[in-house]
Amino acid sequence: MKKRFFALLLVLALLPASVSGARATGLACFVGVNNTLTALSGNGMPYYENGVLYIPYTAFHAEPGGVFVAYDEVGKTLALSQIYVRLVYDLAAGTVTDETGSAQPVSVSYRDGLLYIPATQAASHFGLSVTLLESESGCPIIRFTDGSQTMDDAEFTARSETLISLILENNGQQPGEEDPENPGPDDGPDGEDPAREQPATVYLAFAGEAVSTETLGHLRALELQGTFFLTEAQLLDNVELVRSIYAEGHRIGLAVEPGAEDVEAALQAANEALDAAVFGRSVFALLPANVPEPAGYRVIREPELLPTAADLPAEPSEPQLLICRSGVLETLEALVGMDASMPQLLETSRYSIPQPPEQ
């Protein structure tokens, strides 16, 4: 059975936050950071208990205020860190320690195996405010603000609705379908042991001519999630396509036109176009090998000679990255033929790029 990848889980409708102990649930949960909106990483939903808002720690994957997350499930620690500010949760001891070494008790919880922390206690330490909003479609929005936002909560919620509706329309997962974070076992044909063979793991990135409705259709048919890198021009000229890419759960990164003189300015312009299209920005960038790396971006270096599926090692020992600018259908057919696993490329994915033969 092929593994299937989905962007969001379909869950129950949002309950009023004023009810003590009620869990805020909805079709999907979103995270707002000032004026930007992203889907919550993972399947958790915020809830109130004794008047305290608890949020999944994964809400900080949106990096509000530049806060980064490090969660050690085995060691029972969670670290939230800014440049000079830090909170370290000792989950076994029930304490949280700040950058000065001062420790205090903290109440955390687990729901469906996901860690929850008190929202205000964490956010305020980094100079952030956090509120729980509700969209017209009943989806909770965890919104972090640092004072630089230009919209109040009402305007932010109203502007978010179109994007939320599009995401729900395209990515609602029915109960009983596989969870991409915890996919079920692959029994293999006729009950064969899936450990008998180890198929290749291949991350797919799409750029240039491969950013198209055709590519989107191929991924939809195979139930795969991809990562698309778009230039400012592509983002401006194909707004509906960009929104469809985002709404169907694919990752969007930035690219620059060949020969761009100011790469940082080009990325900034692309981010502004992305924000106008889907109400969000990206720090994921695909750049040529010979350009300087701009600060604040997570960069993939594009090789001068793009490898294809035929260039994959016969028995790859580590995940491989294929960047497609054309020939998407042929690439996907080849990967399906070799029974490759094709998880979605993320900023944190580890991979190598196969070496094409010299020409």
Side-chain angles (χ1 to χ4, degrees):
M1 180 180 67
K2 299 289 183 185
K3 293 183 179 178
R4 296 176 293 173
F5 298 88
F6 297 86
L8 298 169
L9 266 181
L10 187 66
V11 291
L12 301 176
L14 180 65
L15 297 175
S18 58
V19 179
S20 178
R23 184 181 183 186
T25 59
L27 297 172
C29 184
F30 296 83
V31 179
V33 178
N34 289 325
N35 299 325
T36 65
L37 182 79
T38 59
L40 176 69
S41 173
N43 302 319
M45 290 286 167
Y47 69 93
Y48 279 90
E49 188 170 282
N50 298 324
V52 177
L53 173 62
Y54 285 81
I55 60 174
Y57 82 94
T58 51
F60 281 91
H61 285 167
E63 299 180 3
V67 177
F68 289 88
V69 184
Y71 178 39
D72 183 350
E73 186 174 3
V74 176
K76 297 295 183 183
T77 61
L78 169 70
L80 303 176
S81 57
Q82 217 176 33
I83 299 177
Y84 300 111
V85 186
R86 185 177 176 88
L87 287 177
V88 179
Y89 294 77
D90 186 329
L91 305 174
T95 61
V96 59
T97 304
D98 65 18
E99 66 280 356
T100 68
S102 175
Q104 59 179 312
V106 65
S107 175
V108 301
S109 68
Y110 292 88
R111 295 197 173 205
D112 299 323
L114 183 62
L115 172 65
Y116 285 74
I117 61 175
T120 301
Q121 182 185 37
S124 62
H125 189 74
F126 297 97
L128 301 168
S129 298
V130 59
T131 53
L132 181 59
L133 310 176
E134 179 182 353
S135 72
E136 292 180 6
S137 52
C139 294
I141 304 173
I142 303 166
R143 190 188 187 195
F144 297 95
T145 54
D146 60 10
S148 65
Q149 70 276 12
T150 59
M151 290 178 279
D152 61 19
D153 287 344
E155 183 182 0
F156 178 79
T157 303
R159 279 198 59 186
S160 302
E161 194 60 37
T162 299
L163 184 57
I164 289 174
S165 298
L166 189 60
I167 291 173
L168 295 179
E169 179 181 350
N170 285 279
N171 288 275
Q173 180 180 335
Q174 300 298 325
E177 290 180 330
E178 289 179 2
D179 177 355
E181 299 294 329
N182 300 284
D186 187 346
D187 295 329
D190 302 322
E192 292 181 14
D193 183 0
R196 184 174 58 86
E197 295 183 0
Q198 296 296 325
T201 297
V202 181
Y203 294 108
L204 291 172
F206 304 97
E209 295 180 2
V211 179
S212 66
T213 55
E214 289 78 13
T215 294
L216 205 57
H218 297 324
L219 295 175
R220 189 185 305 120
L222 292 170
E223 296 179 326
L224 294 172
Q225 303 301 145
T227 300
F228 291 77
F229 292 92
L230 288 81
T231 64
E232 178 195 11
Q234 288 176 305
L235 289 161
L236 292 174
D237 296 342
N238 303 279
V239 174
E240 291 306 316
L241 174 60
V242 174
R243 288 175 177 168
S244 295
I245 290 171
Y246 187 89
E248 294 190 23
H250 305 291
R251 203 83 170 180
I252 297 181
L254 310 175
V256 299
E257 298 288 353
E261 294 184 0
D262 190 335
V263 171
E264 193 164 354
L267 292 175
Q268 174 65 24
N271 247 334
E272 291 172 0
L274 179 60
D275 186 35
V278 299
F279 201 20
R281 292 173 174 255
S282 177
V283 296
F284 208 7
L286 175 65
L287 298 177
N290 59 346
V291 303
E293 183 166 328
Y297 290 90
R298 298 177 185 179
V299 173
I300 291 178
R301 296 292 184 176
E302 185 171 14
E304 293 184 6
L305 185 60
L306 287 179
T308 67
D311 300 318
L312 288 171
E315 296 181 359
S317 59
E318 58 184 3
Q320 308 286 301
L321 170 64
L322 289 182
I323 302 170
C324 301
R325 287 185 171 271
S326 61
V328 172
L329 181 57
E330 293 83 355
T331 296
L332 293 177
E333 287 177 341
L335 293 174
V336 169
M338 66 177 68
D339 201 27
S341 173
M342 290 175 275
Q344 188 173 32
L345 174 69
L346 304 175
E347 292 92 332
T348 55
S349 299
R350 296 177 180 273
Y351 54 82
S352 63
I353 298 179
Q355 297 300 310
E358 296 183 1
Q359 295 183 353

